[in-house]
Amino acid sequence: EANPGSFEHGRFAAYRAAGVTRLSLGVQSFDDALLARIGRVHDAAQARAAATEARDAFETFNLDLMYALPGQTPAMLEADLDTALAFAPPHLSVYHLTIEPNTMFARERPALPDEDSASEMLDAIVARSAAAGLERYEVSAFAQAQHRCRHNLNYWRFGDYIGLGAGAHAKLSFPHRVLRQVRWREPARYMSEALAGTPVSHEHEVAPEDLPFEFMMNALRLREGVPLTLFRQRTGLAPATIEPLLARAQASGLLERRGGVVRASARGFDFLSDLQAMFLPASRQPQHT
């Protein structure tokens, strides 16, 4: 993954020559005013230069965009799509801006597009991407045939991965438990701790009652869904343990089941957070008034 703000001419070509096969570029927007509003260190010119070299150096590359940014209009989003699609990316990731706790935006909430405008933007993203030959295979990911991100597919299928480097995360499965780990964040400390044999700053075991949500939170992001046999393989739990939850989600019209495969319905894909929340443990279910 690369940031246009740290881009240097020739670097991407060197990565490709070294054997890297895929590059993801965090453009976010090609609009200087929008980039400034979300605190990005790069400008539109740097984003275009980096995207040009990514296209020239890699057979497979991804552009990251964001939408529903402070002050953004549907016309501004269309302009960002015009620029992004002009680079003919084999893969495009587009994310709705999310206000996270303990951030500047959480403390001083900016004026954001309303839900209708954000929905209009998403409709434009889906339609324009499809017209450009990019299939929406995941809720935020669009790709040409043979250019899906295998790295992320492993996450969404609740697969295991090893974290290497400062701040890296890992997920490891054992016969009777699933473990999540985080490496030390500061590079100097990470190196000293790793050399001492203690690279992990903290780890926790995923509680059995949280496994259905952890699995479904990821798997339901995939447009084609996942076979229920994968639920047993990844969590060690029998599919029968979530049968009541599956039935409730299906009855609500948010979930479909066909031939042993579960996936979000068209409506469920539009209201994915609501569908995912149905698999939370009872003690963490949203309270409605």
Side-chain angles (χ1 to χ4, degrees):
E1 296 198 8
N3 187 324
S6 59
F7 164 71
E8 295 177 4
H9 181 68
R11 177 178 290 183
F12 293 167
Y15 288 158
R16 184 67 188 93
V20 175
T21 59
R22 184 182 190 274
L23 182 132
S24 182
L25 188 64
V27 169
Q28 317 311 348
S29 176
F30 291 97
D31 184 304
D32 281 331
L34 293 177
L35 288 169
R37 288 172 196 164
I38 59 175
R40 299 298 172 179
V41 299
H42 66 273
D43 59 23
Q46 289 173 305
R48 290 187 179 90
T52 298
E53 183 153 332
R55 177 196 63 195
D56 293 345
F58 286 88
E59 298 85 355
T60 295
F61 70 98
N62 170 66
L63 297 181
D64 269 354
L65 290 180
M66 296 179 71
Y67 73 100
L69 301 176
Q72 189 178 37
T73 64
M76 295 167 76
L77 182 276
E78 290 274 7
D80 267 348
L81 286 174
D82 287 341
T83 304
L85 294 174
F87 290 102
H91 194 289
L92 184 68
S93 297
V94 191
Y95 302 99
H96 189 296
L97 176 66
T98 301
I99 305 298
E100 299 289 351
N102 303 315
T103 63
M104 179 182 69
F105 283 170
R107 292 188 295 271
E108 299 181 19
R109 192 176 183 87
L112 299 174
D114 59 30
E115 290 186 5
D116 288 342
S117 293
S119 179
E120 183 180 341
M121 292 181 199
L122 179 58
D123 288 345
I125 292 163
V126 173
R128 294 283 304 279
S129 298
L134 301 172
E135 179 188 9
R136 190 186 188 189
Y137 72 100
E138 189 267 348
V139 68
S140 299
F142 306 78
Q144 295 175 0
Q146 308 304 316
H147 288 276
R148 294 182 177 188
C149 179
R150 287 183 288 174
H151 177 79
N152 284 342
L153 282 170
N154 180 55
Y155 289 153
W156 297 324
R157 292 169 178 156
F158 207 50
D160 287 350
Y161 46 92
I162 297 174
L164 298 174
H169 291 239
K171 173 183 170 286
L172 304 172
S173 296
F174 300 91
H176 303 294
R177 62 179 183 145
V178 174
L179 196 65
R180 291 196 180 276
Q181 298 177 332
V182 182
R183 269 55 178 167
W184 295 100
R185 183 171 297 278
E186 302 81 7
R189 181 166 189 182
Y190 168 74
M191 290 304 298
S192 63
E193 295 280 0
L195 289 170
T198 53
V200 176
S201 62
H202 59 278
E203 64 182 23
H204 79 276
E205 182 177 341
V206 180
E209 60 268 25
D210 289 330
L211 283 172
F213 172 70
E214 291 256 356
F215 178 88
M216 288 297 182
M217 178 182 65
N218 290 283
L220 291 173
R221 294 177 63 96
L222 291 171
R223 190 69 191 90
E224 63 193 23
V226 294
L228 270 179
T229 53
L230 191 66
F231 176 78
R232 183 191 294 273
Q233 293 171 15
R234 296 289 193 251
T235 67
L237 302 175
T241 61
I242 58 169
E243 177 56 35
L245 302 176
L246 293 172
R248 184 163 68 95
Q250 190 171 10
S252 73
L254 299 179
L255 187 80
E256 296 176 346
R257 288 196 273 186
R258 294 180 184 173
V261 173
V262 296
R263 68 177 187 178
S265 65
R267 183 168 178 265
F269 220 50
D270 288 339
F271 296 93
L272 189 60
S273 294
D274 294 331
L275 173 57
Q276 292 165 327
M278 293 178 124
F279 294 90
L280 282 166
S283 61
R284 294 169 56 196
Q285 286 286 337
Q287 300 300 309
H288 299 288
T289 57

